[in-house]
C-alpha cells in the first residue's frame, strides 16, 4: 500500500481537486490519502479567531467568505444532487459550530490555546469530508482517534507508542481508499483536539506510512520537488531528482518549504521512500528521497537553502573559558522556553557562543538567557548577551561534500569576490551542511553568486534585452517562451529575458521576466523610457553574455548599436536602418563587433527567415567571390503582383497586402522601392562591395506624385493606376509572362525595377509573398545558387531573429 498526502494548493479549487481525484483513482493498490485544508484556509481561521477575540466585527466577513468557498466548491464538484445536499449539510454543521465558537470569542474578547487548536482543526475536517465524498469507494477516518499527542514545552508532541498501536488497530482491514484529515490530532488522555504544527499534514502522512510499513510515501504539492535553490530568487534553480533523507532534512530545516521537517524521521527510521510530486505537473519525475547516497553525481552539493528572518544571539565573556556546562545551561534555558535553534557557532577559545534563531524568538532568547546567567552578568564573567537582527542564514547541503576538498574554499571565495562578509559559520563533522550568517541585504546576491558558482555550468546563459514588441517582437517572445525548456534540456542553453521595452516603457529584471504575462508587467510595472534611458539601463546592469535584440524600425534605437557593441553586448537586429545606412557607419559596427569578440547579426534584414546573409558569408569565408545578385526581395510587391487579376485591381491588391501585414503600415515604403533598395544595399555590402543607397539606380512603376501627401491621399488616388495595370496585366497574360520587381547587383553596380519574366525564368513561379535570390559566384557561375521561400510575415521573421540569437550561443 502507499500513503499519499495532498497539500492545500492541490485541493484549493474545483479544477485542482478533480485532478487530485484522477491521480488517486489511478492507483492500483490500497491507498491512504492525507489531506490538508483548502489553500489559505488555516491562515484564514487564525485571522478570524484573532479578529473575533479583539472584538473586530470584520471576522464575520471572513467567516462568510470561508463558508461560501466551501459550499461553492461542493456545488461545483459533487454532481449527484442527493449526495451534494447531504455533504452540504454535513459541512454546514461544522461551519455552524465554527461560527458559534467565533461568536463566543467576540463576546468574551479572549482566546485560549485550546480554543485556537479547535478552530484551526475545521479546515482539515471540512476538506477531508469533501474529498472523501468526491472519491469513489472512499472511507473517511478521524485522525483524532489514532494520532495521539501530549503537551511538552508549549507544543504538542506525538506519543508514538500509543499512536502506532491505535493505527494498527483501526487500519487492520484497509479499504480501497482511506481519507484522513492531516494536521489534527487528539490528546492522549483527554482526547481534546490538538495538532502537529503548521505543515503537520506531511507529518500525519509519514506517521501513517511508518506505522503501516507503506511501500512509499508520496507528498503531492505545487512544486516539482526540492529545488537547488529558491526559484523565486534564482530562476535558474531546477528540481533535484534524487536525494537522501539527510539532505532533505538539512534543506528543510534551513528554509526549504517543500516538506515539514519532522516528516522525514518516521520514514527514515523504516527506510520508506518519500516521493515529492507536483499535482499540477504529475508527469514531472519529482524528488525521490531514500537512504541511498548518489556517489556518481557531477554535483558535490545538492541544494542551497536560506532563512531570511535570522537573529544571531551571542553570549560572550572571558568567564566562559574552561567552564563546563555553560552551553548546557544556554540550550536548556532556550528549550524550556520553547525556542528552536537552527545553527550554532562557537569560538575555539570558548569565550563566545553564537546561535541563530528566528527574529520572532530573538527578544525572548535574550530575556531567558539574561535571567539564566544573571549571577555571571553581575560578576562580569559574562559581559554581553545580545541579539543582532537584520540577518539571514544560508546553507549549502549535499552528502557528496564529505571528504571532498575545496568546497568550503570555493564557497567562501565566491562570497568574498561578491563583497559579502560572513558574520558566523558552522560545519558539522558529517560535512553534509555548511551554514553561514550574513546581512540580510546581501541574501539575494549571495544566493545568486553561490548558485552561479556551483550550478550554472549546467547551462550556457544568454541574457537578452528586447526592444520592440509589435508583430515581430511579440512573435519572437512567444517562440522563445515555447522553446526555452527544450533548449535547456537538449542544448544546455538558457535564454534569460532580462529586459523588454516598447516605444514608451521598459521593464528590467536580471532574474528573468515571465513571458506568460510580460505585457501586463510592462503595463503595470513599466517605467517611462527613451533611447538614452534604455542605453543607460542596459549598460548599468552590466550582466554577462548580453544580447540586445532590436525589433523596431527606429533610427534612434539603431544609433545605440555601436555603444552596445563597444561594451561587449551582442546585437541582433530586425531593424534594417543601421545595416543599410551610411557605409562608414555600417563598417564601424562590423569592425567594433569583430574587435570586441561579440556579434552583430541582421539575417532577417533580407528575406525574413531565409538563410541568405549566412549563406553569402559562408561562401566568402570559404574563399568564393560573389559576382552577381538577382533577387525578388519584397514579399509585399510579390504578393501584390501575384494577387492582381481581372477581379482584383492594383489598389485592392495593395490594401490586401496591408491587411495581411505583408506590407509596412505605410505601403508606400514598399511601393517606392525603398525597402528593396535597403535590402539590396545590405546584400551588396555583405558580398564585399562598398555601396550606399544613393548608388542604386531606381526604375519605379508608380509615379512620384502618388507618394506626395498623406497616406489617406495615397489611398484615395492610387485607384487611378488600376486601369493602366489591368491593361498591362492582359498584355502579359497573352505573352505568358509575369511582372516581378527585381533587385540586381552586378560587380557592385546596383539597380531595382519592374521586369517581365517568362515561364523559363526561376522567378516566374514565385508564389504569394515569397522571396527568391540567385547568387552568381566564381564557383556557382554557370548554375547560380538559388535560395527561395517565405520572405515576409511576422512568424518567419521572428524565427530568423531567434536563429541569430541561437547562433550567438554557437550550439548545434
Amino acid at each position: 500500500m502507499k500513503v499519499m498526502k495532498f497539500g492545500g494548493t492541490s485541493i484549493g479549487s474545483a479544477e485542482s481537486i478533480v485532478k487530485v481525484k484522477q491521480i488517486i483513482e489511478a492507483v492500483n493498490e490500497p491507498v491512504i490519502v492525507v489531506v490538508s485544508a483548502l489553500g489559505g484556509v488555516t491562515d484564514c481561521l487564525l485571522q478570524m479567531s484573532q479578529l473575533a477575540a479583539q472584538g473586530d466585527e470584520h471576522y464575520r466577513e471572513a467567516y462568510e467568505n470561508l463558508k461560501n468557498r466551501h459550499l461553492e466548491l461542493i456545488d461545483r464538484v459533487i454532481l449527484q444532487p442527493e449526495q451534494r445536499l447531504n455533504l452540504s449539510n454535513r459541512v454546514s454543521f461544522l461551519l455552524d459550530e465554527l461560527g458559534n465558537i467565533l461568536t463566543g470569542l467576540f463576546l468574551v474578547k479572549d482566546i485560549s490555546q485550546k480554543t485556537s487548536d479547535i478552530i484551526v482543526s475545521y479546515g482539515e475536517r471540512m476538506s477531508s469530508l469533501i474529498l472523501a465524498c468526491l472519491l469513489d469507494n472512499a472511507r473517511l477516518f478521524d485522525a483524532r482517534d489514532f494520532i495521539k499527542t501530549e503537551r511538552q514545552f508549549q507544543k504538542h508532541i506525538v506519543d508514538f507508542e500509543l499512536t502506532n498501536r491505535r493505527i494498527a488497530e483501526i487500519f487492520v482491514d484497509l479499504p480501497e481508499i482511506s481519507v484522513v484529515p492531516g494536521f489534527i490530532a487528539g490528546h492522549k488522555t483527554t482526547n481534546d483536539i490538538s495538532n502537529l504544527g503548521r505543515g503537520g499534514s506531511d507529518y500525519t502522512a509519514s506517521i501513517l506510512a511508518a506505522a503501516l510499513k507503506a511501500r512509499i510515501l508520496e507528498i503531492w504539492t505545487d512544486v516539482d520537488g526540492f529545488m537547488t535553490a529558491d526559484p523565486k530568487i534564482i530562476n535558474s534553480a531546477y528540481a533535484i531528482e534524487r536525494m537522501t533523507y539527510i539532505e532533505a532534512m538539512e534543506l528543510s530545516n534551513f528554509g526549504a518549504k517543500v516538506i515539514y521537517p519532522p516528516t522525514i524521521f518516521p520514514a527514515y527510521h523504516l527506510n520508506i521512500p518519500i516521493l515529492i510530486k507536483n499535482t499540477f505537473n504529475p508527469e514531472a519525475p519529482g524528488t525521490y528521497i531514500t537512504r541511498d547516497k548518489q556517489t556518481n553525481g557531477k554535483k558535490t552539493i545538492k541544494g542551497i537553502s536560506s532563512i531570511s528572518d535570522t537573529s544571531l544571539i551571542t553570549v560572550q565573556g572571558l568567564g566562559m573559558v574552561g567552564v563546563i556546562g555553560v552551553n548546557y545551561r544556554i540550550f536548556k534555558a532556550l528549550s524550556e522556553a520553547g525556542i528552536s535553534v537552527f545553527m550554532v557557532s562557537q569560538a575555539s577559545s570558548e569565550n563566545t557562543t553564537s546561535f541563530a534563531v528566528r527574529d520572532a524568538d530573538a527578544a525572548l532568547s535574550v530575556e531567558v538567557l539574561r535571567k539564566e546567567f544573571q549571577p555571571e552578568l553581575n560578576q562580569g564573567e559574562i559581559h554581553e548577551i545580545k541579539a543582532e537582527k537584520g540577518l539571514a542564514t544560508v546553507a549549502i547541503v549535499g552528502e557528496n561534500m564529505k571528504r571532498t576538498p575545496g568546497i568550503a574554499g570555493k564557497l567562501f571565495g565566491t562570497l568574498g569576490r561578491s563583497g559579502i562578509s560572513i558574520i558566523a559559520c558552522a560545519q558539522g563533522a558529517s560535512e553534509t551542511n555548511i551554514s553561514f550568517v550574513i546581512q540580510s541585504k546581501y541574501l539575494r546576491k549571495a544566493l545568486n553568486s553561490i548558485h552561479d558558482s556551483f550550478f550554472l555550468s549546467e547551462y550556457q546563459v544568454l541574457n537578452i534585452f528586447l526592444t520592440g514588441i509589435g508583430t515581430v517582437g511579440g512573435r519572437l517572445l512567444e517562440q522563445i517562451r515555447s522553446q526555452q525548456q527544450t533548449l535547456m534540456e537538449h542544448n544546455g542553453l538558457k535564454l534569460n529575458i532580462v529586459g523588454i521595452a516598447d516605444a514608451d516603457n521598459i521593464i528590467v529584471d536580471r532574474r528573468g521576466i515571465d513571458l506568460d504575462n510580460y505585457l501586463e508587467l510592462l503595463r503595470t510595472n513599466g517605467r517611462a523610457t527613451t533611447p538614452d534611458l534604455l542605453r543607460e539601463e542596459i549598460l548599468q546592469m552590466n550582466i554577462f553574455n548580453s544580447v540586445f535584440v532590436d525589433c523596431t524600425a527606429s533610427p534612434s534605437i539603431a544609433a545605440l548599436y555601436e555603444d552596445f557593441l563597444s561594451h561587449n553586448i551582442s546585437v541582433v537586429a530586425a531593424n534594417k536602418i543601421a545595416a543599410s545606412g551610411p557605409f562608414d557607419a555600417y563598417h564601424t559596427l562590423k569592425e567594433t563587433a569583430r574587435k570586441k569578440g561579440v556579434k552583430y547579426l541582421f539575417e532577417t534584414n533580407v528575406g525574413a527567415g531565409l538563410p541568405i546573409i549566412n549563406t553569402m558569408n559562408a561562401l566568402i569565408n570559404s574563399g568564393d567571390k560573389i559576382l552577381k545578385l538577382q533577387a525578388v526581395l519584397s514579399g509585399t510587391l510579390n504578393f501584390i503582383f501575384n494577387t492582381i487579376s481581372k477581379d482584383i485591381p492594383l489598389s485592392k491588391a495593395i490594401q490586401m497586402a496591408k491587411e495581411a501585414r505583408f506590407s509596412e503600415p505605410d505601403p508606400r515604403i514598399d511601393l517606392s522601392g525603398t525597402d528593396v533598395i535597403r535590402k539590396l544595399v545590405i546584400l551588396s555590402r555583405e558580398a564585399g562591395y562598398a555601396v550606399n543607397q544613393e548608388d542604386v539606380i531606381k526604375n519605379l512603376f508608380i509615379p512620384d506624385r502618388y507618394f506626395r501627401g498623406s497616406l489617406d491621399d495615397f489611398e484615395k488616388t492610387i485607384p487611378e493606376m488600376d486601369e493602366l495595370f489591368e491593361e498591362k496585366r492582359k498584355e502579359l497574360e497573352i505573352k505568358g509572362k509575369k511582372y516581378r520587381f527585381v533587385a540586381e547587383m552586378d560587380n557592385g553596380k546596383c539597380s531595382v525595377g519592374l521586369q517581365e519574366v517568362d515561364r523559363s525564368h526561376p522567378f516566374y513561379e514565385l508564389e504569394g509573398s515569397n522571396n527568391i535570390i540567385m547568387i552568381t559566384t566564381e564557383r556557382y557561375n554557370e548554375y547560380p545558387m538559388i535560395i527561395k521561400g517565405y520572405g515576409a510575415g511576422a512568424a518567419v521573421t521572428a524565427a530568423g531573429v531567434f536563429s541569430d540569437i541561437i547562433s550567438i550561443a554557437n550550439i548545434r
Side-chain angles (χ1 to χ4, degrees):
M1 56 82 68
K2 69 161 69 174
V3 177
M4 306 172 77
K5 179 264 176 178
F6 290 89
T9 54
S10 297
I11 58 167
S13 67
E15 293 76 17
S16 60
I17 200 169
V18 169
K19 187 180 287 289
V20 166
K21 170 183 168 69
Q22 295 168 349
I23 292 170
I24 294 169
E25 292 181 350
V27 176
N28 295 319
E29 61 182 312
V31 58
I32 296 178
V33 178
V34 177
V35 62
S36 298
L38 305 188
V41 164
T42 303
D43 287 333
C44 181
L45 289 166
L46 289 169
Q47 181 189 34
M48 280 192 297
S49 62
Q50 290 301 318
L51 289 173
Q54 293 165 10
D56 189 334
E57 291 191 358
H58 285 99
Y59 87 87
R60 302 183 197 276
E61 182 181 347
Y63 170 76
E64 288 300 322
N65 290 336
L66 182 77
K67 178 178 179 179
N68 292 336
R69 181 180 178 188
H70 284 82
L71 295 179
E72 287 171 6
L73 178 64
I74 292 169
D75 287 341
R76 292 189 63 186
V77 300
I78 306 300
L79 304 180
Q80 208 279 329
E82 184 177 342
Q83 187 183 29
R84 182 168 61 240
L85 178 61
N86 178 265
L87 177 60
S88 295
N89 289 337
R90 295 175 70 186
V91 170
S92 294
F93 179 81
L94 292 175
L95 287 164
D96 289 343
E97 278 186 359
L98 173 62
N100 290 334
I101 296 172
L102 292 170
T103 300
L105 293 181
F106 180 76
L107 293 173
V108 301
K109 295 181 176 56
D110 190 22
I111 183 171
S112 66
Q113 185 60 53
K114 180 178 178 180
T115 304
S116 179
D117 289 343
I118 293 171
I119 289 172
V120 294
S121 74
Y122 281 96
E124 278 74 14
R125 290 162 71 184
M126 291 188 293
S127 65
S128 58
L129 258 177
I130 295 170
L131 183 61
C133 185
L134 178 64
L135 294 168
D136 296 331
N137 302 318
R139 180 181 167 191
L140 178 63
F141 290 82
D142 189 339
R144 293 173 293 180
D145 293 336
F146 48 85
I147 304 293
K148 295 298 180 180
T149 64
E150 57 185 336
R151 196 159 183 80
Q152 293 180 12
F153 305 119
Q154 302 177 7
K155 293 185 179 181
H156 300 293
I157 306 300
V158 177
D159 182 330
F160 276 99
E161 182 180 353
L162 177 56
T163 294
N164 290 337
R165 186 168 70 248
R166 293 291 294 139
I167 290 172
E169 292 169 356
I170 289 173
F171 290 91
V172 63
D173 293 315
L174 278 177
E176 183 179 337
I177 300 174
S178 306
V179 177
V180 175
F183 173 63
I184 61 178
H187 191 274
K188 61 184 291 186
T189 56
T190 65
N191 207 36
D192 289 340
I193 293 177
S194 62
N195 61 65
L196 304 180
R198 295 302 299 269
S201 293
D202 291 349
Y203 198 15
T204 302
S206 183
I207 292 168
L208 282 164
L212 297 172
K213 297 181 174 55
R215 180 179 61 83
I216 190 169
L217 167 61
E218 294 181 356
I219 306 291
W220 289 79
T221 180
D222 57 356
V223 294
D224 286 343
F226 274 93
M227 307 294 286
T228 53
D230 186 348
K232 294 177 182 176
I233 297 176
I234 301 175
N235 65 348
S236 57
Y238 53 86
I240 304 167
E241 290 196 10
R242 296 184 72 91
M243 65 195 317
T244 66
Y245 295 114
I246 300 299
E247 290 167 337
M249 178 68 81
E250 294 283 7
L251 288 173
S252 297
N253 278 327
F254 280 89
K257 297 180 175 64
V258 178
I259 192 170
Y260 183 49
T263 304
I264 296 168
F265 177 73
Y268 167 79
H269 186 64
L270 292 175
N271 198 24
I272 296 170
I274 303 174
L275 178 61
I276 311 296
K277 292 284 285 182
N278 189 342
T279 306
F280 307 99
N281 184 22
E283 294 78 20
T287 298
Y288 190 74
I289 305 168
T290 64
R291 285 183 184 170
D292 301 330
K293 183 173 73 171
Q294 285 185 295
T295 57
N296 58 349
K298 294 180 181 179
K299 302 298 181 185
T300 50
I301 70 174
K302 279 291 174 69
I304 309 168
S305 196
S306 62
I307 298 174
S308 57
D309 61 327
T310 294
S311 288
L312 193 67
I313 312 299
T314 299
V315 180
Q316 187 174 23
L318 294 177
M320 295 168 59
V321 178
V323 177
I324 297 172
V326 172
N327 284 343
Y328 166 75
R329 290 172 62 192
I330 290 173
F331 296 114
K332 180 175 182 289
L334 294 171
S335 175
E336 288 176 348
I339 297 169
S340 175
V341 173
F342 52 80
M343 195 195 90
V344 180
S345 178
Q346 183 176 28
S348 59
S349 64
E350 299 182 338
N351 75 330
T352 301
T353 297
S354 297
F355 55 89
V357 299
R358 299 276 186 177
D359 284 342
D361 293 328
L364 181 59
S365 298
V366 173
E367 180 183 337
V368 299
L369 290 176
R370 283 178 177 167
K371 182 178 180 181
E372 172 69 27
F373 291 98
Q374 191 62 54
E376 288 84 355
L377 286 167
N378 292 339
Q379 296 171 22
E381 295 175 357
I382 292 179
H383 69 266
E384 189 174 38
I385 299 176
K386 66 177 183 177
E388 184 177 357
K389 294 189 175 182
L391 306 177
T393 305
V394 180
I396 65 170
V397 173
E399 290 211 65
N400 285 340
M401 292 196 302
K402 190 169 186 177
R403 306 292 184 263
T404 302
I407 298 299
K410 183 177 181 180
L411 170 66
F412 298 136
T414 297
L415 294 171
R417 287 191 297 274
S418 299
I420 299 170
S421 176
I422 296 172
I423 298 169
C425 64
Q427 179 179 15
S430 66
E431 298 185 67
T432 59
N433 177 328
I434 301 176
S435 314
F436 57 92
V437 177
I438 58 174
Q439 289 182 282
S440 59
K441 64 181 180 181
Y442 294 126
L443 176 59
R444 181 178 295 275
K445 186 176 183 181
L447 293 176
N448 277 281
S449 299
I450 297 167
H451 202 268
D452 280 359
S453 178
F454 283 95
F455 289 105
L456 284 189
S457 58
E458 184 83 11
Y459 307 112
Q460 180 181 356
V461 179
L462 290 184
N463 291 299
I464 299 169
F465 306 88
L466 184 141
T467 183
I469 56 171
T471 53
V472 173
R475 286 292 187 91
L476 174 61
L477 289 173
E478 174 59 28
Q479 290 175 7
I480 291 174
R481 186 196 64 78
S482 64
Q483 193 66 8
Q484 275 177 319
Q485 192 64 33
T486 299
L487 287 170
M488 288 173 64
E489 292 175 357
H490 299 290
N491 302 98
L493 175 64
K494 180 175 176 59
L495 299 181
N496 195 34
I497 308 300
V498 296
I500 298 175
D502 61 13
D504 303 310
N505 297 297
I506 183 173
I507 49 173
V508 175
D509 189 339
R510 65 169 55 243
R511 297 169 303 171
I513 295 168
D514 180 4
L515 296 187
D516 287 329
N517 65 337
Y518 72 90
L519 286 172
E520 177 66 16
L521 290 172
L522 195 63
R523 184 182 66 81
T524 57
N525 300 339
R527 291 178 283 111
T529 190
T530 64
D532 287 340
L533 291 174
L534 175 67
R535 178 182 60 234
E536 291 176 16
E537 192 79 59
I538 293 172
L539 295 182
Q540 285 175 5
M541 186 174 280
N542 194 28
I543 198 167
F544 69 101
N545 284 353
S546 299
V547 183
F548 178 72
V549 180
D550 181 9
C551 290
T552 73
S554 168
S556 55
I557 297 296
L560 304 177
Y561 295 175
E562 184 178 355
D563 218 355
F564 290 149
L565 292 169
S566 65
H567 284 84
N568 297 87
I569 299 172
S570 292
V571 173
V572 173
N575 188 342
K576 305 180 186 71
I577 291 174
S580 63
F583 179 82
D584 288 345
Y586 158 85
H587 183 70
T588 298
L589 294 178
K590 298 279 283 189
E591 280 298 297
T592 303
R594 185 182 63 80
K595 289 177 181 178
K596 290 291 183 178
V598 293
K599 301 288 182 68
Y600 171 40
L601 303 175
F602 42 89
E603 178 66 76
T604 57
N605 282 190
V606 182
L610 293 176
I612 297 173
I613 293 174
N614 283 338
T615 301
M616 291 171 57
N617 288 335
L619 290 170
I620 293 169
N621 292 337
S622 66
D624 205 349
K625 179 177 175 61
I626 296 175
L627 305 174
K628 185 176 182 179
L629 300 172
Q630 295 170 284
V632 174
L633 297 174
S634 173
T636 305
L637 295 179
N638 198 52
F639 175 84
I640 290 171
F641 289 122
N642 280 332
T643 302
I644 292 173
S645 67
K646 66 178 182 179
D647 299 317
I648 303 176
L650 172 67
S651 60
K652 176 64 175 175
I654 293 171
Q655 185 63 31
M656 290 170 65
K658 182 179 178 182
E659 291 171 355
R661 295 188 175 182
F662 289 134
S663 76
E664 299 289 340
D666 184 348
R668 293 177 295 177
I669 295 173
D670 299 287
L671 296 166
S672 67
T674 301
D675 189 54
V676 175
I677 290 167
R678 287 175 180 167
K679 293 175 179 177
L680 180 60
V681 166
I682 293 168
L683 290 180
S684 300
R685 290 172 175 178
E686 291 297 290
Y689 300 93
V691 176
N692 282 304
Q693 291 188 40
E694 53 267 28
D695 299 328
V696 180
I697 299 169
K698 307 167 190 174
N699 300 305
L700 303 181
F701 60 93
I702 292 180
D704 284 343
R705 67 178 183 275
Y706 289 97
F707 299 109
R708 303 187 191 111
S710 67
L711 178 58
D712 286 341
D713 294 334
F714 170 77
E715 291 176 343
K716 290 176 183 176
T717 57
I718 193 62
E720 298 170 0
M721 296 290 294
D722 289 349
E723 186 176 348
L724 175 62
F725 264 84
E726 175 57 16
E727 291 177 5
K728 292 182 177 180
R729 187 196 65 78
K730 289 178 180 177
E731 292 176 9
L732 288 175
E733 191 173 47
I734 293 170
K735 290 192 255 183
K737 294 183 177 182
K738 292 182 180 179
Y739 271 142
R740 294 289 181 253
F741 194 79
V742 179
E744 286 194 11
M745 187 281 294
D746 191 347
N747 286 301
K749 295 181 180 181
C750 300
S751 65
V752 296
L754 208 57
Q755 294 184 13
E756 299 177 5
V757 297
D758 60 26
R759 295 181 183 277
S760 64
H761 199 286
F763 294 175
Y764 183 87
E765 297 293 346
L766 195 63
E767 298 177 352
S769 62
N770 286 0
N771 282 192
I772 188 170
I773 182 169
M774 293 198 302
I775 305 173
T776 303
T777 72
E778 289 179 346
R779 295 174 186 161
Y780 293 87
N781 199 308
E782 185 176 356
Y783 299 101
M785 179 182 291
I786 295 176
I787 301 172
K788 175 181 176 182
Y790 286 120
V796 292
T797 304
V801 174
F802 199 174
S803 179
D804 274 350
I805 294 170
I806 297 297
S807 70
I808 292 173
N810 197 31
I811 64 170
R812 294 184 180 274

